[in-house]
């Protein structure tokens, strides 16, 4: 009999999830490892070798850790549900002129649900991942907070995990720093893990060419959107572009236009196939609306405006802001201008280190 019961650990084959499994095994849990197969990159027509959490090498790396420690390992094929939900959403958002965040969507809507369903079948009380974040219970809520490693903190990508799912989740790396994890792996002789490069690409776009992915995914897309206008803030047409889905808010490089000064994409107009350009100051906004909220620390904030630090993308440091819940949406009033707010990205609200909640950016504005 194990000391703490049976736990299902999501293992990508990388150092973080592998060490999460090792630590739980050492703590006395009966560990079962599981690697999720989300995507066959060869089917997308890309030109780069399959890498990251979906590759055969990564699956074998995860299995080797399990074998070395004597616990079982399984592969969970979720390609169909992943494709239907995450990839269709990814494609659809770009076609709507927004900038999606598929990794957040996958975490919150696919991986957790898939893991918990399999955990039930395997009689596991808990699941675990290698995310750098913490979970605690307080006032009847399961609260996500930042990991102590500020550079690696991944609380931003977990805002959408349900309260029920958080109640069955363990995050053993939240109180550790990446340097400590690497030192542990070296001490235990997992040299391949220590030397393995980390993948930061979207798993189904490992060559980082999302434009090429969209062109292959949506038949006839180039012909439909090519030839729209680049326009300046005053409406002046300054050139033609390849199509509005191939640009994102804040983009400066790869525009294919030279105006004698740096310009940025400040707005994408799907209905007229226009891409608006401007200077960096033209990206500044001091408010936004956020929808599809998932509240974490508090059940809701109706009639309770709250001072927060709000992040508008993963590596954003965050900006002080008051949040005001308006029904199913959150109005965010920043106390200083924020640049590059992109509809379709996730916004996450923090109170100290705690995740208050999050949602998807609908629009930004200047007050």
């Amino acid at each position: 009999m194990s000391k703490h019961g049976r736990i299902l650990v999501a293992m990508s084959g990388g150092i973080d999830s592998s060490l999460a499994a090792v630590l739980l095994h050492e703590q006395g849990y009966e560990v079962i490892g599981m690697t999720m197969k989300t995507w066959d990159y060869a089917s997308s027509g890309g030109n780069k070798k399959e890498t990251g959490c979906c590759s055969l090498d990564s699956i074998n790396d995860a299995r080797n850790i399990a074998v070395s420690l004597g616990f079982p390992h399984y592969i969970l094929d979720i390609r169909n549900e992943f494709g239907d939900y995450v990839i269709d959403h990814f494609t659809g958002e770009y076609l709507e002129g927004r900038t999606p965040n598929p990794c957040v969507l996958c975490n919150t809507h696919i991986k957790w649900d898939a893991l918990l369903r399999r955990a039930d079948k395997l009689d596991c009380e808990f699941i675990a991942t290698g995310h750098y974040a913490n979970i605690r219970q307080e006032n009847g809520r399961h609260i996500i907070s930042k990991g102590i490693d500020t550079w690696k903190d991944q609380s931003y990508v977990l805002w959408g995990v349900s309260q029920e799912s958080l109640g069955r989740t363990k995050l053993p790396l939240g109180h550790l720093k990446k340097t400590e994890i690497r030192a542990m792996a070296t001490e235990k002789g997992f040299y391949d893990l220590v030397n393995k490069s980390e993948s930061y690409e979207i798993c189904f776009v490992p060559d980082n060419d999302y434009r090429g992915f969209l062109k292959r995914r949506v038949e006839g897309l180039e012909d439909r959107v090519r030839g729209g206008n680049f326009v300046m803030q005053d409406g002046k047409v300054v050139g033609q572009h390849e199509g509005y889905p191939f640009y994102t808010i804040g983009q400066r490089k790869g525009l294919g236009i030279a105006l004698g000064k740096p310009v940025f994409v400040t707005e994408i107009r799907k209905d007229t196939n226009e891409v608006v350009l401007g200077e960096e100051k033209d990206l500044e906004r001091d408010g936004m609306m956020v929808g599809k909220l998932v509240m974490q620390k508090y059940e809701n904030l109706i009639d309770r405006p709250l001072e927060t630090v709000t992040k508008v993308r993963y590596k954003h440091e965050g900006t002080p802001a008051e949040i005001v819940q308006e029904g199913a949406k959150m109005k965010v009033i920043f106390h200083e201008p924020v640049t590059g707010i992109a509809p379709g990205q996730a916004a996450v609200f923090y109170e100290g280190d705690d995740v208050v909640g999050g949602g998807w950016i609908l629009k930004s504005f200047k007050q």
Side-chain angles (χ1 to χ4, degrees), residues 29 35 144-145 155 253 269 274 281 294 306 310 318-320 328:
Y29 284 93
T35 302
I144 305 164
S145 61
S155 58
K253 297 180 179 179
R269 297 173 179 167
E274 290 178 311
K281 65 180 177 59
V294 176
L306 184 69
T310 294
T319 303

Side-chain angles (χ1 to χ4, degrees), residues 4-273:
H4 295 299
R6 187 176 292 172
I7 190 166
L8 184 64
V9 183
M11 299 181 67
S12 67
I15 188 171
D16 297 330
S17 59
S18 297
L19 264 292
V22 170
L23 288 170
L24 291 166
H25 179 73
E26 291 179 346
Q27 289 170 19
Y29 284 93
E30 182 185 346
V31 171
I32 298 175
M34 182 158 287
T35 302
M36 286 174 277
K37 180 70 173 174
T38 56
W39 178 250
D40 277 324
Y41 186 60
S43 67
S44 74
N47 57 10
K48 183 181 175 184
K49 181 178 179 289
E50 186 179 42
T51 60
C53 61
C54 305
S55 70
L56 184 60
D57 286 345
S58 292
I59 292 171
N60 286 335
D61 288 343
R63 174 167 285 168
N64 288 339
I65 292 290
V67 169
S68 70
L69 294 174
F71 61 80
H73 173 269
Y74 300 99
I75 299 168
L76 179 59
D77 189 339
I78 58 172
R79 285 174 291 181
N80 287 339
E81 53 198 298
F82 181 87
D84 290 345
Y85 196 90
V86 177
I87 296 174
D88 288 352
H89 178 271
F90 178 85
T91 304
E93 286 290 274
Y94 274 115
L95 295 181
E96 289 297 320
R98 296 188 287 262
T99 305
N101 191 322
C103 298
V104 171
L105 198 70
C106 179
N107 269 326
T108 57
H109 291 281
I110 299 295
K111 287 187 175 179
W112 249 260
D113 287 348
L115 277 172
L116 285 168
R117 285 197 301 272
R118 189 52 61 97
D120 289 339
K121 291 181 179 179
L122 294 170
D123 197 27
C124 295
E125 182 180 0
F126 298 107
I127 64 170
T129 74
H131 287 91
Y132 287 85
N134 290 293
I135 302 171
R136 73 179 190 278
Q137 190 168 7
E138 187 177 291
N139 298 323
R141 305 286 293 176
H142 300 286
I143 300 171
I144 305 164
S145 61
K146 294 180 181 180
I148 67 164
D149 191 327
T150 54
W151 176 247
K152 286 297 294 182
D153 170 55
Q154 292 170 304
S155 58
Y156 171 88
V157 303
L158 302 179
W159 62 266
V161 180
S162 71
Q163 284 287 298
E164 181 182 3
S165 296
L166 289 174
R168 296 181 61 188
T169 300
K170 302 288 185 183
L171 302 177
L173 305 192
H175 65 290
L176 296 167
K177 294 187 176 182
K178 182 75 174 196
T179 51
E180 294 175 284
I181 293 298
R182 295 181 69 85
M184 287 180 190
T186 301
E187 182 183 331
K188 296 176 187 303
F190 298 133
Y191 303 116
D192 289 344
L193 285 178
V194 176
N195 296 323
K196 187 176 183 178
S197 61
E198 295 191 74
S199 174
Y200 296 100
E201 303 99 347
I202 298 169
C203 68
F204 55 90
V205 194
D207 59 2
N208 263 339
D209 180 16
Y210 85 90
R211 294 176 177 178
F213 180 85
L214 289 176
K215 292 172 184 177
R216 293 187 295 271
R217 184 83 177 172
V218 183
E219 187 176 352
L221 178 60
E222 286 180 275
D223 294 334
R224 280 164 40 198
V225 300
R226 184 190 292 118
N229 288 328
F230 278 125
V231 299
M232 300 303 291
Q233 300 290 304
D234 59 4
K236 179 183 178 181
V237 176
V238 292
Q240 276 70 49
H241 58 68
E242 296 181 16
Y244 74 88
F246 305 135
Y247 302 89
T248 59
I249 300 296
Q251 181 179 339
R252 179 174 67 87
K253 297 180 179 179
L255 297 178
I257 187 170
L259 297 176
K261 61 180 180 180
V263 291
F264 301 79
V265 175
T266 63
E267 185 182 351
I268 295 169
R269 297 173 179 167
K270 169 206 167 189
D271 293 340
T272 56
N273 194 14

Side-chain angles (χ1 to χ4, degrees), residues 297-335:
K297 186 172 184 178
Y298 308 108
E299 187 174 357
N300 68 71
L301 290 173
I302 300 292
D303 299 323
R304 293 169 57 202
L306 184 69
E307 289 294 328
T308 67
V309 171
T310 294
K311 296 178 66 168
V312 299
R313 50 191 169 270
Y314 178 42
K315 284 300 184 183
H316 183 220
E317 289 185 359
T319 303
E322 181 184 61
I323 59 175
V324 180
Q325 189 170 350
E326 299 180 350
K329 298 177 182 178
M330 193 74 78
K331 185 177 184 179
V332 182
I333 305 300
F334 293 105
H335 298 319

Side-chain angles (χ1 to χ4, degrees), residues 279-293:
E279 299 177 22
E280 189 170 15
K281 65 180 177 59
D282 297 318
L283 285 167
E284 293 181 351
R285 302 288 188 272
D286 57 9
M288 66 180 179
M289 295 300 297
V290 178
K292 295 187 177 178
L293 300 175

